Amino acid sequence: MKKIIKSLGKNKNLAKCLEHLYCKIPYLFGNGQAFNPLSVVLLVSYKCNLRCKMCFYYNDSEKDNTCNLIKNRANEELTLGQIYKLIDDASYMKVKILTIHGGEPLLYPDIFKISNYAYEKGLLVNFITNGALLSEKIAKKIVNAKINQITFSLDGPEAIHDNVRNVKGTFKRLMLGVKNLKNLEEKGYKIPNLCISTYISAINQNKIKDIIDVIKNIGIKDWGVGLITHNGEKLAIATSKILKINKNKNQGNLENLKDEVKNIDINILKKQREIVSTKNKKYQLEIIFPSKKAIENYYNPGFNEMDYCLLPWSRIVISPYGEVFPCINLSMIGCVLGNIKEKSLKDIWNSQRYINFRKKLKKNKLFPLCSKCCHINNLKKI
């Protein structure tokens, strides 16, 4: 039986179908309860070395709020011992994946202690990073830590990427970081699976067709592309009312993004999608890209590819301060469902608060703040 399960895991499409079924059954019949989570996302820190123009935390109108948040809550950050306890709980619940996110996780001083401990406890460890700090020394630590997958953020060829990331030289450092890992692979080391993530903005919309060439040239086969969400004050307030959350202002407001970032030309993007699709007939990469319908409805905040979300039945998000969120989008309005400093992951996961949240989500299908979430819309292979 173990051999059968292992062989099924190598088939990505079948694995996704099984995971979908694993979540959909309790969604339909669990009355708000869920099977154990498949993954835990740990936001180790909100600190970052870049100031990306479309970022929840560091766009021009939000960066001061984020820096103040980090300063004001410094004493509340999880200790290494508390993070180990979280990993112990996740291992006990047979969680499959620990995704380490931020901010920029490579800024966190004990990042490899965490990843090593998670690996020893049987979890697959994934990183999400901008790649700008991935020196030869860090690459060796990543390999030694047995990290399963790294997802790099790439927004275009050099000039475009540096523009979006707001720090000159970021593209070259990212390319060097990938090369450092590839060099270790050539020496016989087993390196993580390498993936690329891209968010489309008005800055890079003309260059999406060039990104596929960059990805092909650096030898990466997996690419996920998403649209900027419609996260803004109106949607946040509407969602807060549904969830009965009392908060004056949401964190991560994207409503004040500059036109150069958010004014996407739908016709340009549709054409870019066609070109990428044509190129990929030759390249044969694994690409997830917003559908034509999603692109055409970009300016309609009420449109989503699906009218339901299974993430709260499969994944849990932990803030640097131990707060438990159903997803990163809803963390922006303070949708806290518990704190791992106070209760175990197991006790929180099917607590009455979590159950009530799932019931409300199912009843409403989606919340206003879910608009353009990549987990609902970033679904189509090309």
Side-chain angles (χ1 to χ4, degrees), residues 309-320:
C309 177
L310 297 179
L311 276 187
W313 282 261
S314 66
R315 195 176 75 168
I316 197 164
V317 177
I318 315 293
S319 84

Side-chain angles (χ1 to χ4, degrees), residues 330-354:
L330 291 176
S331 75
M332 301 301 170
I333 59 169
C335 183
V336 180
L337 299 177
N339 194 304
I340 62 167
K341 293 178 182 178
E342 301 165 1
K343 291 184 178 180
S344 70
L345 192 66
K346 185 176 185 297
D347 288 339
I348 293 171
W349 180 244
N350 273 318
S351 64
Q352 194 59 53
R353 192 188 302 185
Y354 229 122

Side-chain angles (χ1 to χ4, degrees), residues 280-296:
N280 200 43
K281 290 175 182 176
K282 176 182 177 182
Y283 290 169
Q284 294 294 298
L285 305 183
E286 287 282 326
I287 302 176
I288 302 295
F289 206 102
S291 69
K292 291 179 183 178
K293 196 171 182 180
I295 293 169
E296 288 168 353

Side-chain angles (χ1 to χ4, degrees), residues 7 27-28 45 72-73 90 111 125 145 202 215 235 259 267 273 322 373 381:
S7 66
Y27 173 86
L28 293 172
S45 173
N72 294 337
R73 300 191 70 181
I111 194 67
V125 180
I215 295 170
L235 299 181
D259 288 348
N267 290 324
R273 190 183 193 280
C373 171
K381 282 192 175 184

